[in-house]
């Protein structure tokens, strides 16, 4: 298995990304920020995984939001 030192998402499963985002922001915020049906109508991790695995542009938006969340959390930790 190759290491990818410049890829912050390496080794993180899409399911973990969705679970972490939902726990941090909630479905309502996710649906408002990324306007996709799987976040707005009966949102579940399973339905989100199914959609995001088939839709590269939406997955990119979710991954970017996740990276933004991680950066924000790291910044908050550095202030303490």
């Amino acid at each position: 298995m190759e290491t990818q030192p410049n890829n912050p998402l390496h080794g993180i499963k899409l399911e973990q990304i969705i679970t972490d985002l939902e726990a941090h922001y909630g479905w309502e915020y996710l649906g408002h920020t990324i306007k996709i049906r799987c976040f707005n109508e009966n949102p579940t991790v399973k339905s989100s995984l199914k959609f995001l695995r088939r839709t590269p542009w939406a997955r990119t938006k979710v991954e970017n939001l996740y990276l933004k969340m991680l950066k924000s959390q790291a910044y908050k930790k550095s202030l303490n």
Side-chain angles (χ1 to χ4, degrees), residues 24-55:
H24 186 77
Y25 294 116
W27 292 117
E28 188 175 335
Y29 180 83
L30 288 174
H32 179 73
T33 305
I34 304 171
K35 296 184 182 354
I36 53 179
R37 189 177 309 162
C38 67
F39 288 166
N40 288 310
E41 295 179 17
N42 300 320
T44 63
V45 172
K46 185 177 178 180
S47 68
S48 299
L49 283 171
K50 186 176 179 182
F51 178 76
L52 294 171
R53 286 180 177 142
R54 293 182 290 125
T55 316

Side-chain angles (χ1 to χ4, degrees), residues 9 34-35 40 45 58 60 62 72 76 79:
L9 295 175
I34 304 171
K35 296 184 182 354
N40 288 310
V45 172
T60 300
V62 168
S72 172
K76 288 178 184 176
L79 294 177

